Amino acid sequence: MPLKRPFFSFILFLVSTYTHAYELGRGVQINDALNVGGYFSSEFEASQHNESFTLDDVAVMAYGDINPMISYLAEFEAVGFYHKSFHDGTENGSQKFHAERLYGDLWLSDDFNIRFGKQITPIGYWNMEPINVLRDTTSNPLYSKLLFPKFLTGIDINGYVPGTEGLRYHLFGQKNNDLDEEYINIPNTHFFGFSIEKEISMEWSSGGGIGEYITLTNQRTQFLQGNLKYDDTQWQLMTEILFAKSEFNDRHNNSTLSGYAQAMYHVVPEHAIVGRLEYYNDHYTDYKDSILTLGYSYRPLYPISLKGEYQWHSQHDENRALLSFSVLF
């Protein structure tokens, strides 16, 4: 059956739009109110117990400016899209997409803005880069996954502190269920915090945060966090540390201390060597680990990343090698 003229014209319009408006890493710009893109990452892992391949973090995104005061971002992601274990030959995965981020921004002034919806918790450096392709290692420090909620469904009031230079604040809170709990690392209905970040110079920045959350199992945790970063484009040094104190249902109190220090050196702009030392000590679960990670990162273009790394754990049976290929399109 021949194509009807309106449909054929629509296909030509889409092809023309994609040809002229697409930019790798920024997606397709339909207009100021609608940009469409996405990303994916693939990972090969080898450890003492298993070897596996994962097509992970398959995501689509839309973002734009509705008017000079209102903008938005919508991100839907399928984590573990496909997984194959070479140890036993099993294959599985989930092709169901979930809302990872879905928020709006109300831009009022340099000093006062409001972000509402499901968003990244504005704590430190690592948590603010949730996309694999934008990070310098495939793995995440334990610090960034286990000690505070990575996302919140609520409100973040943010801006620059009046009368100061380069001092930015975030006052955030959640008092409800998460919008989509599929990828929530710590489910909760109570999460409040405050963070600041100071631009000391072109190369140096420093900050910290405090917060409290109550899990669905009534574990109440209060935390104090600090971070420091140096970046001169060739060298990047950053460190984050967090102390948390938790009260459990049995009235038992315990503490956790975790942090990391990471150095990255660009041999040339496309090639970098990365080293990270991290520490994690949870007195409640009696889990303690020190991890040394050495890695290599190659970016032929910034939105394309090929990374390899090896981790040595003080828990020796957890040593592993990781290779990943990821693209922001």
Side-chain angles (χ1 to χ4, degrees):
M1 179 181 294
L3 291 172
K4 295 182 179 179
R5 180 174 293 273
F7 181 75
F8 182 68
S9 299
F10 178 67
I11 294 297
L12 287 178
F13 169 75
L14 286 181
V15 171
S16 175
T17 299
Y18 273 62
T19 301
H20 292 90
Y22 178 74
E23 181 181 350
L24 183 64
R26 300 183 65 87
V28 177
Q29 183 178 21
I30 308 301
N31 51 49
D32 289 343
L34 180 59
N35 298 264
V36 180
Y39 58 89
F40 76 87
S41 65
S42 58
E43 177 182 299
F44 174 79
E45 177 178 349
S47 65
Q48 180 180 344
H49 306 290
N50 193 19
E51 292 182 353
S52 63
F53 170 81
T54 305
L55 177 59
D56 205 8
D57 294 345
V58 179
V60 293
M61 305 171 65
Y63 62 95
D65 300 321
I66 298 175
N67 60 45
M69 292 183 60
I70 301 175
S71 62
Y72 72 94
L73 182 143
E75 177 185 346
F76 295 89
E77 181 177 10
V79 172
F81 193 86
Y82 169 78
H83 178 82
K84 179 178 177 64
S85 170
F86 297 106
H87 177 71
D88 55 18
T90 58
E91 299 180 55
N92 54 62
S94 173
Q95 292 75 50
K96 186 175 181 180
F97 285 77
H98 295 270
E100 179 153 16
R101 289 185 286 175
L102 187 60
Y103 63 78
D105 282 305
L106 181 60
W107 303 101
L108 301 174
S109 69
D110 290 341
D111 303 333
F112 186 83
N113 306 285
I114 301 174
R115 175 168 291 180
F116 51 92
K118 185 176 180 182
Q119 57 194 279
I120 299 169
T121 301
I123 291 288
Y125 305 122
W126 201 276
N127 197 55
M128 300 298 286
E129 294 287 4
I131 302 175
N132 184 320
V133 68
L134 300 179
R135 300 195 302 262
D136 300 310
T137 61
T138 300
S139 63
N140 299 287
L142 294 177
Y143 151 89
S144 68
K145 300 188 295 182
L146 303 178
L147 293 181
F148 59 89
K150 295 165 57 178
F151 295 93
L152 67 98
T153 299
I155 294 178
D156 170 32
I157 300 172
N158 61 86
Y160 287 94
V161 178
T164 66
E165 183 176 347
L167 181 62
R168 187 172 184 86
Y169 73 91
H170 291 269
L171 178 63
F172 55 89
Q174 170 178 334
K175 192 64 176 176
N176 46 262
N177 291 317
D178 289 291
L179 177 66
D180 189 330
E181 296 184 357
E182 185 66 21
Y183 304 138
I184 300 298
N185 61 324
I186 303 177
N188 69 90
T189 57
H190 174 107
F191 182 27
F192 296 92
F194 176 78
S195 67
I196 57 172
E197 182 72 16
K198 171 65 176 176
E199 300 167 2
I200 302 172
S201 67
M202 291 290 293
E203 294 84 15
W204 286 96
S205 64
S206 180
I210 58 174
E212 177 187 81
Y213 61 88
I214 302 175
T215 69
L216 299 185
T217 58
N218 290 323
Q219 170 192 330
R220 180 188 294 269
T221 298
Q222 298 171 328
F223 64 84
L224 176 66
Q225 179 267 350
N227 47 265
L228 179 68
K229 183 177 183 180
Y230 172 84
D231 192 341
D232 66 3
T233 69
Q234 185 173 33
W235 279 97
Q236 183 191 80
L237 308 172
M238 63 180 182
T239 183
E240 299 186 59
I241 189 170
L242 187 147
F243 175 78
K245 184 176 181 181
S246 299
E247 178 182 318
F248 300 88
N249 277 331
D250 58 5
R251 299 296 182 182
H252 187 70
N253 294 325
N254 245 315
S255 62
T256 303
L257 176 66
S258 183
Y260 73 88
Q262 177 172 297
M264 179 178 65
Y265 174 71
H266 284 98
V267 182
V268 294
E270 297 83 5
H271 299 266
I273 300 170
V274 184
R276 183 174 69 234
L277 181 63
E278 58 180 292
Y279 174 80
Y280 185 87
N281 189 359
D282 186 338
H283 292 280
Y284 183 72
T285 61
D286 197 29
Y287 179 77
K288 183 178 180 180
D289 199 2
S290 298
I291 307 168
L292 172 63
T293 300
L294 294 179
Y296 173 81
S297 172
Y298 170 55
R299 295 180 184 272
L301 298 170
Y302 186 76
I304 300 175
S305 176
L306 179 63
K307 299 190 286 282
E309 66 185 74
Y310 192 85
Q311 297 180 358
W312 290 268
H313 292 248
S314 58
Q315 306 287 344
H316 298 293
D317 60 346
E318 296 184 15
N319 293 354
R320 60 176 181 157
L322 293 170
L323 293 172
S324 72
F325 174 69
S326 52
V327 178
L328 180 66
F329 55 85

